[in-house]
């Protein structure tokens, strides 16, 4: 497995490890991050943040590589850590329905073992009512965002 390395002084100063990827994998990452603007994270064991796309900024403006887990609730990050470790241990994708800043998402945690990286690619998309719910776990730590001020009736 490839070990993550620090590749910029900004990440070293921020205390966040950025991961250097092989060129073919970097191309795929850039396609997700820049071309498709997918909210995605590359996470190492224990949900160590290796990379995060700008697609997350549409959902959570504070979600940057430098802020890392500090941009999210503690419950969000501890739950994410468990799913990353589960995906790595089972080498199978783990699917989660979660609420982040009042946005309902379906996130898939996919192990990167096929490309010899000890990490999980977590990609998120808007959850739909008619989507396949087979083997989907519902988050125990919803971040209701602005919806948190609404009553049950208003929801």
């Amino acid at each position: 497995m490839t070990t993550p390395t620090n590749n910029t002084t900004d990440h070293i100063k921020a205390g966040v490890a950025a991961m250097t990827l092989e060129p073919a994998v970097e191309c795929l990452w850039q396609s997700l991050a820049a071309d498709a603007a997918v909210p995605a994270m590359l996470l190492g064991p224990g949900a160590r943040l290796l990379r995060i796309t700008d697609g997350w900024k549409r959902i959570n403006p504070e979600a940057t590589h430098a802020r890392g887990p500090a941009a999210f609730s503690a419950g969000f990050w501890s739950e994410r850590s468990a799913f990353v470790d589960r995906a790595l241990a089972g080498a199978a994708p783990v699917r989660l329905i979660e609420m982040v800043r009042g946005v309902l998402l379906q996130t898939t945690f996919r192990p990167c073992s096929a490309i010899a990286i000890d990490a999980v690619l977590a990609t998120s998309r808007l959850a739909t009512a008619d989507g396949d719910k087979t083997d989907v776990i519902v988050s125990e730590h919803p971040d209701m965002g602005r919806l948190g001020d609404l009553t049950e009736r208003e929801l």
Side-chain angles (χ1 to χ4, degrees):
M1 295 284 174
T2 302
T3 303
T5 59
N6 290 322
N7 65 353
T8 66
T9 43
D10 290 339
H11 290 109
I12 294 169
K13 288 177 188 172
V16 178
M19 184 171 207
T20 302
L21 299 172
E22 296 295 324
V25 178
E26 180 66 35
C27 176
L28 295 173
W29 176 261
Q30 289 304 320
S31 181
L32 282 173
D35 304 336
V38 171
M41 296 180 187
L42 189 61
L43 301 158
R48 191 179 76 199
L49 182 64
L50 303 173
R51 287 204 172 179
I52 186 170
T53 65
D54 285 343
W56 267 104
K57 288 182 185 175
R58 289 190 322 271
I59 299 165
N60 178 354
E62 297 175 23
T64 64
H65 200 114
R67 288 206 25 110
F72 300 91
S73 72
F76 172 91
W77 212 257
S78 65
E79 189 172 50
R80 207 161 210 71
S81 179
F83 290 125
V84 166
D85 292 344
R86 180 176 167 179
L88 285 172
V94 175
R95 293 177 31 206
L96 172 72
I97 296 286
E98 61 184 341
M99 183 76 75
V100 179
R101 297 284 171 108
V103 178
L104 189 62
L105 299 172
Q106 180 172 314
T107 300
T108 301
F109 298 84
R110 189 171 301 281
C112 297
S113 54
I115 54 172
I117 297 174
D118 192 24
V120 168
L121 177 61
T123 53
S124 300
R125 64 177 176 83
L126 293 176
T128 59
D130 59 345
D132 179 15
K133 304 290 188 281
T134 308
D135 298 326
V136 176
I137 300 162
V138 177
S139 172
E140 294 179 10
H141 300 281
D143 171 4
M144 299 298 285
R146 290 179 280 166
L147 299 178
D149 296 332
L150 301 177
T151 66
E152 284 289 325
R153 182 176 173 185
E154 290 171 320
L155 286 173

